[in-house]
mmCIF file of all heavy atoms in Angstrom:
data_model
loop_
_atom_site.group_PDB
_atom_site.id
_atom_site.type_symbol
_atom_site.label_atom_id
_atom_site.label_comp_id
_atom_site.label_asym_id
_atom_site.label_seq_id
_atom_site.Cartn_x
_atom_site.Cartn_y
_atom_site.Cartn_z
ATOM 1 N N LYS A 696 4.752 -78.694 -13.557
ATOM 2 C CA LYS A 696 5.460 -79.923 -13.944
ATOM 3 C C LYS A 696 5.997 -80.673 -12.715
ATOM 4 O O LYS A 696 5.869 -81.887 -12.607
ATOM 5 C CB LYS A 696 6.624 -79.536 -14.864
ATOM 6 C CG LYS A 696 7.044 -80.602 -15.814
ATOM 7 C CD LYS A 696 7.951 -80.098 -16.961
ATOM 8 C CE LYS A 696 8.729 -78.844 -16.634
ATOM 9 N NZ LYS A 696 9.178 -78.059 -17.747
ATOM 10 N N ALA A 697 6.577 -79.888 -11.795
ATOM 11 C CA ALA A 697 7.243 -80.496 -10.633
ATOM 12 C C ALA A 697 6.299 -81.321 -9.753
ATOM 13 O O ALA A 697 6.746 -82.179 -8.993
ATOM 14 C CB ALA A 697 7.911 -79.412 -9.805
ATOM 15 N N LEU A 698 4.995 -81.061 -9.842
ATOM 16 C CA LEU A 698 4.069 -81.778 -8.958
ATOM 17 C C LEU A 698 3.467 -83.019 -9.600
ATOM 18 O O LEU A 698 2.737 -83.770 -8.955
ATOM 19 C CB LEU A 698 2.929 -80.848 -8.514
ATOM 20 C CG LEU A 698 3.284 -79.643 -7.631
ATOM 21 C CD1 LEU A 698 2.011 -78.896 -7.245
ATOM 22 C CD2 LEU A 698 4.038 -80.061 -6.372
ATOM 23 N N LYS A 699 3.768 -83.221 -10.872
ATOM 24 C CA LYS A 699 3.049 -84.298 -11.583
ATOM 25 C C LYS A 699 3.499 -85.702 -11.197
ATOM 26 O O LYS A 699 2.695 -86.616 -11.186
ATOM 27 C CB LYS A 699 3.179 -84.091 -13.094
ATOM 28 C CG LYS A 699 2.313 -82.928 -13.582
ATOM 29 C CD LYS A 699 2.436 -82.741 -15.070
ATOM 30 C CE LYS A 699 1.653 -81.522 -15.523
ATOM 31 N NZ LYS A 699 2.049 -81.077 -16.861
ATOM 32 N N GLY A 700 4.786 -85.868 -10.904
ATOM 33 C CA GLY A 700 5.273 -87.207 -10.564
ATOM 34 C C GLY A 700 5.692 -87.285 -9.114
ATOM 35 O O GLY A 700 4.983 -86.804 -8.228
ATOM 36 N N ASN A 701 6.871 -87.887 -8.879
ATOM 37 C CA ASN A 701 7.408 -87.898 -7.513
ATOM 38 C C ASN A 701 8.007 -86.531 -7.213
ATOM 39 O O ASN A 701 8.621 -85.913 -8.076
ATOM 40 C CB ASN A 701 8.498 -88.963 -7.380
ATOM 41 C CG ASN A 701 7.940 -90.343 -7.680
ATOM 42 O OD1 ASN A 701 6.842 -90.679 -7.247
ATOM 43 N ND2 ASN A 701 8.691 -91.135 -8.436
ATOM 44 N N VAL A 702 7.813 -86.120 -5.981
ATOM 45 C CA VAL A 702 8.171 -84.742 -5.615
ATOM 46 C C VAL A 702 9.171 -84.742 -4.472
ATOM 47 O O VAL A 702 9.035 -85.506 -3.523
ATOM 48 C CB VAL A 702 6.893 -83.987 -5.166
ATOM 49 C CG1 VAL A 702 7.218 -82.577 -4.725
ATOM 50 C CG2 VAL A 702 5.858 -83.967 -6.286
ATOM 51 N N LYS A 703 10.196 -83.865 -4.568
ATOM 52 C CA LYS A 703 11.053 -83.693 -3.390
ATOM 53 C C LYS A 703 11.053 -82.218 -2.982
ATOM 54 O O LYS A 703 10.890 -81.325 -3.831
ATOM 55 C CB LYS A 703 12.470 -84.192 -3.658
ATOM 56 C CG LYS A 703 13.273 -83.359 -4.601
ATOM 57 C CD LYS A 703 14.745 -83.788 -4.571
ATOM 58 C CE LYS A 703 15.504 -82.888 -5.542
ATOM 59 N NZ LYS A 703 16.564 -83.412 -6.247
ATOM 60 N N ALA A 704 11.207 -82.000 -1.675
ATOM 61 C CA ALA A 704 11.212 -80.620 -1.156
ATOM 62 C C ALA A 704 12.649 -80.141 -1.056
ATOM 63 O O ALA A 704 13.497 -80.820 -0.482
ATOM 64 C CB ALA A 704 10.560 -80.587 0.216
ATOM 65 N N VAL A 705 12.911 -78.970 -1.629
ATOM 66 C CA VAL A 705 14.253 -78.395 -1.534
ATOM 67 C C VAL A 705 14.152 -77.146 -0.664
ATOM 68 O O VAL A 705 13.370 -76.238 -0.953
ATOM 69 C CB VAL A 705 14.780 -78.024 -2.951
ATOM 70 C CG1 VAL A 705 16.161 -77.397 -2.860
ATOM 71 C CG2 VAL A 705 14.774 -79.241 -3.844
ATOM 72 N N ALA A 706 14.943 -77.127 0.417
ATOM 73 C CA ALA A 706 14.866 -75.989 1.337
ATOM 74 C C ALA A 706 15.816 -74.885 0.889
ATOM 75 O O ALA A 706 16.964 -75.154 0.517
ATOM 76 C CB ALA A 706 15.205 -76.442 2.753
ATOM 77 N N GLY A 707 15.329 -73.644 0.924
ATOM 78 C CA GLY A 707 16.171 -72.495 0.591
ATOM 79 C C GLY A 707 16.765 -71.901 1.862
ATOM 80 O O GLY A 707 16.887 -72.590 2.886
ATOM 81 N N ALA A 708 17.085 -70.623 1.763
ATOM 82 C CA ALA A 708 17.708 -69.942 2.910
ATOM 83 C C ALA A 708 16.677 -69.699 4.009
ATOM 84 O O ALA A 708 15.468 -69.673 3.746
ATOM 85 C CB ALA A 708 18.268 -68.621 2.434
ATOM 86 N N ALA A 709 17.181 -69.515 5.230
ATOM 87 C CA ALA A 709 16.286 -69.178 6.351
ATOM 88 C C ALA A 709 15.635 -67.826 6.062
ATOM 89 O O ALA A 709 16.171 -67.013 5.312
ATOM 90 C CB ALA A 709 17.101 -69.099 7.638
ATOM 91 N N THR A 710 14.470 -67.610 6.616
ATOM 92 C CA THR A 710 13.731 -66.365 6.336
ATOM 93 C C THR A 710 13.618 -65.507 7.586
ATOM 94 O O THR A 710 13.871 -65.973 8.703
ATOM 95 C CB THR A 710 12.304 -66.698 5.859
ATOM 96 O OG1 THR A 710 11.653 -67.469 6.888
ATOM 97 C CG2 THR A 710 12.313 -67.483 4.558
ATOM 98 N N GLN A 711 13.213 -64.261 7.392
ATOM 99 C CA GLN A 711 12.835 -63.421 8.539
ATOM 100 C C GLN A 711 11.586 -62.632 8.183
ATOM 101 O O GLN A 711 11.234 -62.519 7.009
ATOM 102 C CB GLN A 711 13.986 -62.525 8.951
ATOM 103 C CG GLN A 711 14.620 -61.762 7.822
ATOM 104 C CD GLN A 711 15.660 -60.768 8.342
ATOM 105 O OE1 GLN A 711 15.943 -60.730 9.530
ATOM 106 N NE2 GLN A 711 16.190 -59.961 7.460
#
Side-chain angles (χ1 to χ4, degrees):
K696 207 165 25 202
L698 295 183
K699 287 181 184 163
N701 300 318
V702 178
K703 70 169 181 214
V705 179
T710 58
Q711 49 174 5

